[in-house]
Each structure stands twice: as structure tokens, then as C-alpha cells.
Amino acid sequence: MSATAASPVEQRTLTLAPEGPGLPDELRRRLSERVITVGERATMEVRSPFTGEVIGSVPACTPDDVAEAAALAREAQQLWRRTSFAERARVMRRFRDLLLDRQDEVLDLIQLESGKVRGHAFEEVADTAIVAAYYARTARKHLAPQRREGALPLLTHTTEIRHPRGVVGFIAPWNYPLSMAITDAIPALMAGNGAVIKPASQTPFTALWVVERLYEAGIPANLVTVVTGSGSKLGEPIIDAVDFVTFTGSTEVGRTVARRAGERLIGCALELGGKNALLVLDDADLDKAVEGAVHGGFASAGQLCISIERVFVPTDLHDDFVARLVEKVEALELSAELAYGGDMGSLVSQDQLDTTRDHVEDAREKGATVLTGGATREDVGPLFYAPTVLSGVTRSMTAFDHETFGPVVSVYAYDDLDQAIDRINDSDYGLNASIFTSDGARGRDIGARVEAGTVNVNEAYAAAWASVDAPMGGFKDSGLGRRHGVEGIHKYTEVQTVAGQRLMPVIGIPGLDDAQVAKVFTVALKVLHRIPGLRRP
Ligand code: NAP
Ligand code: MG
């Protein structure tokens, strides 16, 4: 598109724009035409959380559209699976450059659709660029055929080979409309798969925009198809049409995805909720810990699976910590501007606002103290909620163990470190944790005792998240499978063992009867594996 004339950049002051916050016509039309439909379809409106106004609409796809989207991707994948890693990597690097060069366009879209501030939207651009560069560089190494120990030393030549699965389905959430729509597809594509993406109904345009960048970078026509529409209607048809499904969203829907995938006997990866804790140790730098709690608690207004909702502080430091935390939180500037500057944006939907308000009101009614926040901020936008800090939260309150997925952090004092760790682990979830200490080694040791898929020492979530060479995902009800690193690409492959035998069969020796074979083998089994040089092929 011409990035100038019709660019959403011109609508920066969207809350004030007399013509409303809609996307430029040309962009809206072009992106929604990318959605796969096999006939005329009703449309679904997309509203900006900043103002509640309609910014565009996309087709409400049907199961027929899903089948078509999968068939197109499947056909394109036949060609793509034969391309070299070098070619795929070239495409992926081009994609990263296009994304970085044209980031203003997508930052606008992310902000408009999700209501987050630009700084938080940029985290998604950075994340996507990091993941694209990482798998462009490492896919070949991760997927190279591996020699394995053969059945018989010297006589069996055994190799592990990885094939693409075929077409992978991605059901994405609205909280990270760029990152969550595309970063999981990147390793799948690098492994030679096609993809069908269903973005959240709230955030289709960001997904469509980034898929357009993949085509611009050079993926073959139809390799990545997008269907838009209600997840409850399209979820099953997607799972039924693909060879693997990756879902990010609520634990409740995650279970239904896993059930359906189980029936079809296809694999699935799930990244679900969390009730993530930040543990302040007695030797921590309090200002840094407060900084971590603010970033971890209020990035994307707390609508982040790895965000911090519980903070544990030694009793001796509690009052000092809370005073500093409240001061910092009260200084956060809420913003609905399409420009850098604000510290926290809007909640994404009325549902998320209601959940947040319910958790806080329930805690307040049952005796918790609202140290700051605890109110809607309609003065900034219809779905804004003040960043909130609670203390005195007890087990009877919803906010104690249910994920709020909003800008609410509860602070707890602790006397005994073991007890604090037990309380952190006393959760159905186990996604992310954070530990603040001036002794990094101690932090890492304690981290290994926390039941969470990622643990960050002296960071809230970004250190582990951005370490994309290492796996990321949930223990317990927080998910199944891992993204990032070698696991993040192996899951998109079907692994095959090819074993070649020479000179004699593995069982049976020409000229000997079964009893003689058994004797020879018994001796061999006792002796052979003791000879170090013969252990490996
Ligand atoms: P959700 O319902 O799980 O939505 C996530 C994605 O799944 C969306 O694309 C959604 O489509 C789709 N979906 C909905 N019902 C489905 C079904 N039956 N089968 C297959 N896909 C389906 O999440 P939500 O309702 O938007 O948010 C609720 C809670 O989920 C949040 O409060 C939070 O606790 C959690 N959540 C977690 C993450 C995370 O990053 N782990 C992200 C988002 C939400 P539609 O948009 O069309 O409904
Ligand atoms: Mg839902």
C-alpha cells in the first residue's frame, strides 16, 4: 500500500478525529479481502477499545471457508516443503525487515484493536522480529537429520529424520494481536508447513496485516491462509482440517481444543492462563523489584498470560515496598493516543473490564484493602480501569487464585521463604514467575523450586520470554507443549526413524537355529555393550 496518503498515522489523535477512528478505506478493504471465503458472507464489526467505535469489519467465516483455507494451504505446502532452509530463511529475514521498516503501520493497528499503549505494542514488534531472526538462523540445525545409536553396533545405520506435519492451525488471542498471531507460525513455516490462522474476533486486522508482510517477503501463494469469525463456530472445523493445532487463550477453551485434537489423534500445543507470582527476597533492591512489579503487572494493562498478579514481600520490607509501589503506580499515565508516551492503555473488551471490576469488588467486599486504583477511568476511554494494588487478599476472594487478566496486583507479606514458595506453588497454574534478589545465583536456585515454565530473576517476564533459544510454556493448567527453542520447532514436525541393516539381520543368524541364536545373542548382549568403542555407531 502507499504507506503515506492512506496511512493510519494521520489519525493519531483518533479520539478527537471528527471522522471517527475507522481504518483508512483502502487498508480496511485490502486486508479484509485477504480472508478466505467461498461465497458471500455476513460481516463482523471490529471496535476499538479506545473509543468503542467501529474501525472496520471482516467476514464471518463458515466451516466451508475453513475447509477451503486448509485445502489451499495444503496445496501450497506441497511446493514449500521442497524449498531449502536457505530459501525459507531468506524469506523470513525479508519478513523481519519489512516488519521493522513498516512498524508504524502495525503499531497503529495493534493499538487500535487491542487498546494498548504504543510502548507495549512495540514489545510485540520486537518479539516477532526476534523470533523470525532466530528460526531463520537455527531451523536447519534444529531439524537436521540426526545419527542415532544403531540396534547392532557397526551393522545398523540409524537416522532420525524430521518431516513437516502438513498444515498447522493457529487459534490466536487478542491480547498480543501481532505476536500471538504469527510467532508460532514462524517455526511451523520454517519447518516446511502451511498454516491456517484464526485471529481473535477482536483483533483480525493486525493478523491480516502481518500475513500480508509474509507474502510480500516471498512465501508462496496461499501457504498461510486466514479465516475470521467466532472461535466457538470455527474452532472445531479448524481442528478437523489440520495436522496440528496451536491454541493460545483461556484454559477453559484450551481443554475443548485438546479434547477435539485427542479425538482426531493430532497433536496440540496450548498456552493458557497464569496466576503468576513475583517473589521479592530479603536482599533485593526494592526499587528494582517495584519496577519489575509495575512492568510485570501493568504491561498491556495486565492482559498478558505471563503478567504478574501476585507479589510476595518479606514482612520487614512490606510497608516500604508497598509505599514505593503505590507511588509508582499512581504516576502511571493512562493513554488512548496512537503515539508513544502513555504508560498503560485500555482493557480490550467489556468482558475483560467486567472481570477486572468483579475481582476487585469481590476482594473489597470481603475485606481486602484497595491501596490504589479500584475504579474505572471512563474519562480516558470507555474500557479503561485504573492500575490497582490490593493487600489483605485471602483465599475466599476470587482474586486470590483466579486469573484476573487485568491491571490488578495483590501484595502479600511473608515471614518464611519456604512458605512463600509453597504459596506460589499452591496454584492450578504454573506459567511464569519472577524473583528479585541481589544474589543472582541464589535467585536461580530458588527459581528451580518454583512450579512455573519460565522463571525470571530480576526481571518480570521479558528475560525468559525473549530468550527464544529456550523453551517457554506452562506447567499444570497453564498449558501443554512449549514454544521457542528446539521444542518450539520440533513440535511442528513428524519424526521418522530410518534404520538400515547390513551383513546380518538383527535377530537370526544364517545357518543357526533359534537356540543357537539365543546363545550367541546372550553372550553378545553381555559383552558388546562393555566395549566402549562399539557403543556408538
Ligand atoms: P478465549 O475464548 O480462549 O479466546 C482465545 C481464542 O480462542 C480466540 O481466537 C477465540 O475466538 C477462540 N475461541 C473461542 N472459543 C473457542 C472454541 N470453542 N474453540 C476454539 N477456539 C475458540 O479467550 P477470551 O474469552 O477472549 O479470554 C478469556 C480469558 O482467557 C482471559 O480472561 C484470560 O484469562 C485468558 N486468555 C489468555 C491468553 C493467553 O495469552 N494465555 C490470551 C487471551 C485470553 P473469538 O475471539 O472469536 O472468541
Ligand atoms: Mg471466549
Side-chain angles (χ1 to χ4, degrees), residues 172-175 198 200-201 229-231 247 249-250 253 272 305 352 403 405:
W174 39 261
N175 60 333
K198 194 213 88 68
S201 296
S230 146
F247 170 83
S250 59
V253 174
L272 311 173
C305 52
Q352 292 303 123
E403 183 181 40
F405 224 64

